Amino acid sequence: MASSSSTFLVSFLLLFFFLPYSYTSSIFREYIGAEFSGVRFSDVPISSGVEFHFILAFGIDYTTSDSPTPTNGHFNIFWDNQNLSPAAIAAIKRAHPNVKVALSLGGDSVGDGSAYFAPDSVDSWVNNAVDSLTSLIQQYHIDGIDVDYEHFRAAPDAFAESIGQLVTRLKGNGAISFASIAPFDDDEVQSHYKALWRKHGAVIDYVNFQFYAYASGTTVAEFLEYFDEQRNNYRGGRVLASFNTEENPGGLTPQNGFFTACNQLKKQGKLGGIFVWTADASMGNGFRYEQQAQKLLASA
C-alpha cells in the first residue's frame, strides 16, 4: 500500500495535469494559398515580436484529376505552389528568422466535392502518408503539419489512430517539429478530433479551433464562453483564437470586438495565440487585422 505522502503527490500531479493551464503565447498563424488569389509570402506583414507560422492550404490525399478521388494517404499539392514555391519559402525564412511554414492536410473541399478522410486501412494510410508527406516536407522546407479534415468516411477511432501515428512518426523521424489540429463546433467533426485528442493529444502542439464557424453576429461574451468550452474539450492544449477575413464571415469579427476578447483572454493567461483564415482574402484590406493581431500578441 502506498504511503499517505506518495498518494498525495500522485493526486496532486494528476490534478495539475488535468487542469487548464495559463500561459502567454506570441504565436501568430495564417492560412495561405487555398484561393489562388496570387498572394505571396512577402505580401504579408510580419512582426519580429511574434513566432509567425504560414500554413499552406492544402495538401490532400486525392488525385489531381478533373474528378479527384481518394488516394489512401498519397498526398498531392492543392495550394498555389506557383506563388508559394520552395524557393519562395526559403526566401521568406531567410528574410524573417521568426517564420515557420506548416502544411495543412485535408480542408473542406476538393474539386467540386468534399474532401473526405477515407483510408483503406489505418496501417496502409499511415505508411503512404508518411512517405508522401516526408517528400513534400523536404522539398518545400516545411516545419510542421496542420490537420484540417472536415468530412469523414472512417470512424473516430480510425481517424485518431491514423493521425496520431502519422504525427508521431513524422516527429520521430525529424521531418516536423510541431503539429496542429483545426476542429470546429460540429458533432461529427468534434467526435473525431476529441477521439484524437484523448488518445494522442500529447503529440499535438496547437489547436487551431475555427471560432469563425460559429454564427455571424457572435458577441464578445459568447466568444469567451465558446473559448472556455473548447479549452475544456481540448484540456491542456494550446487553443488559438481565430477570425476570418472573407466576405460575410461567421463568428466574432475584428470589427465587432475580436481584439477586445483576445485582450481579456491574454490577461487571464488563456490565449494560446491567434490564427487567420486567410491571407488570400486579407490582401483586399491591406492585412490591417493581421498587423493588429501581431501587435496584440507582441505587447507585454
Side-chain angles (χ1 to χ4, degrees):
M1 179 179 293
S3 68
S4 59
S5 59
S6 61
T7 301
F8 173 80
L9 177 61
V10 170
S11 299
F12 174 80
L13 290 173
L14 287 172
L15 178 62
F16 179 81
F17 179 78
F18 285 106
L19 281 173
Y21 59 93
S22 296
Y23 44 69
T24 300
S25 175
S26 60
I27 299 289
F28 178 81
R29 318 186 84 204
E30 180 143 41
Y31 289 86
I32 188 170
E35 298 170 8
F36 289 79
S37 66
V39 65
R40 300 173 185 270
F41 297 119
S42 56
D43 294 329
V44 184
I46 298 170
S47 166
S48 61
V50 302
E51 180 174 323
F52 194 113
H53 294 182
F54 282 110
I55 306 177
L56 296 170
F58 291 94
I60 313 177
D61 52 332
Y62 268 66
T63 62
T64 57
S65 61
D66 290 339
S67 299
T69 56
T71 61
N72 191 39
H74 292 285
F75 281 85
N76 289 304
I77 293 169
F78 284 86
W79 72 86
D80 181 5
N81 66 316
Q82 181 174 347
N83 289 300
L84 309 173
S85 63
I89 292 174
I92 199 67
K93 286 185 173 185
R94 284 195 302 269
H96 298 278
N98 58 320
V99 165
K100 296 181 180 179
V101 176
L103 172 57
S104 190
L105 311 181
D108 174 55
S109 62
V110 57
D112 295 326
S114 297
Y116 284 91
F117 178 74
D120 291 348
S121 69
V122 170
D123 288 344
S124 65
W125 187 90
V126 171
N127 287 334
N128 293 337
V130 168
D131 288 345
S132 62
L133 287 173
T134 298
S135 178
L136 284 175
I137 286 164
Q138 293 172 347
Q139 180 184 0
Y140 279 81
H141 317 291
I142 287 167
D143 303 288
I145 62 169
D146 173 67
V147 181
D148 187 22
Y149 283 102
E150 303 184 5
H151 308 280
F152 306 91
R153 288 179 178 153
D157 284 348
F159 177 73
E161 276 309 304
S162 299
I163 300 300
Q165 289 185 33
L166 171 64
V167 174
T168 299
R169 286 178 58 178
L170 289 177
K171 283 189 169 184
N173 67 22
I176 61 171
S177 59
F178 60 84
S180 58
I181 55 175
F184 57 94
D185 191 39
D186 170 90
D187 288 345
E188 183 183 30
V189 169
Q190 290 279 60
S191 69
H192 285 73
Y193 283 94
K194 287 163 75 173
L196 170 61
W197 190 258
R198 284 192 299 270
K199 291 190 173 184
H200 298 284
V203 298
I204 306 299
D205 301 281
Y206 310 107
V207 180
N208 278 17
F209 199 85
Q210 298 181 48
F211 289 101
Y212 46 80
Y214 286 104
S216 59
T218 295
T219 66
V220 169
E222 289 170 336
F223 180 90
L224 294 172
E225 280 186 25
Y226 298 151
F227 195 91
D228 281 341
E229 179 183 353
Q230 301 312 326
R231 283 188 87 224
N232 186 59
N233 283 334
Y234 300 95
R235 188 173 290 267
R238 182 158 292 196
V239 180
L240 280 72
S242 58
F243 63 90
N244 183 334
T245 57
E246 294 177 318
E247 290 187 21
N248 304 314
L252 179 62
T253 64
Q255 302 94 315
N256 291 332
F258 175 82
F259 294 114
T260 298
C262 285
N263 272 312
Q264 291 189 42
L265 293 172
K266 186 175 181 180
K267 289 175 182 177
Q268 295 165 6
K270 296 178 179 179
L271 184 62
I274 295 172
F275 79 88
V276 181
W277 178 273
T278 163
D280 302 57
S282 294
M283 282 202 303
N285 64 31
F287 302 99
R288 60 182 295 193
Y289 298 123
E290 281 83 349
Q291 295 181 71
Q292 191 171 349
Q294 292 176 73
K295 183 177 180 181
L296 183 153
L297 291 170
S299 63

